[in-house]
Amino acid sequence: MDKFDAMQMFVRVIEKGSFSAVAKERGIGQPAVSKQISALEDELGTELIHRTSRSIAMTEAGRDFYDSALRILDDFENATSRIGRGQSAPKGLIRMTVPPTFARLHMVSKLPAFFAAYPDMAVEMAASESPTTIIEDGFDLAIHSGDLPDSSLVARRFAQTMIILVATPQYLTRNGAPESPDELSRFRSVVFVERGSVKPWSFGSGPDAKRVIPTGVFRTSDIEQMRIGVLEHLGIAQAPAWLFAAELREGTVLRLLTPFERTVPILAVRPASRRLSTKVRVFMEHLEKTFALCSQFNPRPS
């Protein structure tokens, strides 16, 4: 048994969630993967993975070994980046979770320049709104908008955005425009629902922040549907400015109550227990550099 290869294979089994996925990735049979993991368990004298007909789960020893294996693999990658032929060009796969609409509108467009600078790198994006899944599922990074309450994660701000009120000119022509947050109850809204409850709109910060419960005929838990609802003139919405970046430039939506806007960070989040690898570091630096060129991510209230 090649212990280093077995360790790499174990990490990929945990990250992919199945033996068959790793077998397909490596172009080998599933029994070969299972045999390698079993040999590793025999070598360590403990079970690393609970296997059932439908799923796998790490044992307590498996989680401990997984965390150690990640550190060893990161150290190896850092060493080869410094000393080997790729000393200025790290290589490998970065796996991250990204809110799907943010990925479609703003993340994928940043990749060509990254691959041009680092041709031996690859990026895998999974759609997720929650950054906490990166620990459970073995991702390197999560992209998250807003403050980070989970202390088991560390974050690096690479951009920021305004939380704004928007509506189409057509809606405002028919209904008028609010002059203060207190007037919003008179207007129809596109309502965002989070875990079954209406998400309140917030204006300002701290103890003086004002909260408004929006009402309207269209409610959704999907931010892309909320965007389309606004563009179909169904009402006012509160959203991050990046969601309507193109429409704001074109004038197909307008900002309302701009003195009440607030700024929130956009973060690259990673597990606190995991060392920062070279490949992740250069990708975060790329995000900072490319998003710095986008005015909607370095906003000033209008």
Side-chain angles (χ1 to χ4, degrees):
M1 179 188 65
D2 182 328
K3 294 180 183 178
F4 190 78
D5 185 59
M7 182 170 58
Q8 289 179 310
M9 191 174 293
F10 168 73
V11 167
R12 289 304 286 155
V13 166
I14 299 305
E15 291 175 345
K16 300 291 284 187
S18 74
F19 289 85
S20 59
V22 176
K24 183 177 180 180
E25 180 180 80
R26 291 200 166 205
I28 59 178
Q30 181 174 332
V33 176
S34 182
K35 183 178 179 180
Q36 187 84 311
I37 300 302
S38 294
L40 179 62
E41 290 176 322
D42 290 342
E43 176 73 19
L44 296 171
T46 187
E47 185 182 36
L48 300 175
I49 298 174
H50 284 311
R51 303 157 175 84
T52 70
S53 58
R54 295 186 177 182
S55 65
I56 65 170
M58 281 187 287
T59 64
E60 184 177 348
R63 181 164 295 281
D64 183 41
F65 184 75
Y66 175 75
D67 292 339
S68 297
L70 284 176
R71 287 193 293 271
I72 292 168
L73 294 173
D74 284 345
D75 284 345
F76 179 76
E77 178 188 304
N78 291 338
T80 54
S81 294
R82 290 194 311 270
I83 300 167
R85 289 178 300 172
Q87 58 181 330
S88 61
K91 61 182 65 176
L93 173 67
I94 299 173
R95 300 177 66 245
M96 69 182 71
T97 65
V98 189
T101 301
F102 185 78
R104 182 178 64 79
L105 293 178
H106 299 291
M107 285 289 290
V108 177
S109 62
K110 306 298 189 294
L111 295 180
F114 179 71
F115 294 139
Y118 301 101
D120 294 325
M121 297 284 288
V123 171
E124 176 185 323
M125 289 186 184
S128 175
E129 300 287 352
S130 171
T132 59
T133 59
I134 61 174
I135 292 179
E136 301 163 7
D137 299 330
F139 287 95
D140 299 302
L141 279 178
I143 304 303
H144 176 69
S145 180
D147 296 326
L148 189 67
D150 191 335
S151 60
S152 66
L153 303 172
V154 294
R156 178 167 170 174
R157 185 184 69 83
F158 65 89
Q160 58 186 358
T161 191
M162 303 296 290
I163 301 299
I164 64 176
L165 281 183
V166 294
T168 60
Q170 294 90 327
Y171 175 86
L172 297 173
T173 297
R174 291 197 303 262
N175 299 280
E179 296 185 2
S180 74
D182 294 327
E183 294 184 7
L184 287 170
S185 59
R186 297 194 296 107
F187 292 84
R188 181 175 288 178
S189 306
V190 178
V191 179
F192 188 75
V193 178
E194 198 169 46
R195 292 186 288 274
S197 300
V198 172
K199 184 176 181 180
W201 291 351
S202 180
F203 300 91
S205 58
D208 297 327
K210 182 174 181 58
R211 287 161 62 91
V212 172
I213 305 298
T215 58
V217 295
F218 179 49
R219 298 162 47 134
T220 178
S221 61
D222 181 87
I223 195 171
E224 177 66 15
Q225 292 181 23
M226 182 178 74
R227 176 175 169 272
I228 299 301
V230 171
L231 298 180
E232 291 295 336
H233 324 301
L234 295 180
I236 299 171
Q238 187 176 67
W242 60 257
L243 186 63
F244 293 96
E247 291 79 13
L248 289 167
R249 287 194 302 268
E250 296 162 1
T252 51
V253 299
L254 301 176
R255 291 162 70 167
L256 309 173
L257 302 182
T258 55
F260 297 93
E261 294 175 353
R262 70 183 193 279
T263 304
V264 297
I266 301 177
L267 307 170
V269 182
R270 60 185 181 86
S273 59
R274 199 175 303 166
R275 292 184 63 181
L276 179 63
S277 66
T278 301
K279 64 181 181 181
V280 172
R281 177 181 55 78
V282 298
F283 187 75
M284 291 195 301
E285 289 172 353
H286 174 76
L287 292 181
E288 289 180 339
K289 181 173 68 174
T290 53
F291 276 87
L293 302 175
C294 305
S295 59
Q296 70 265 33
F297 292 105
N298 298 276
R300 296 291 182 270
S302 63

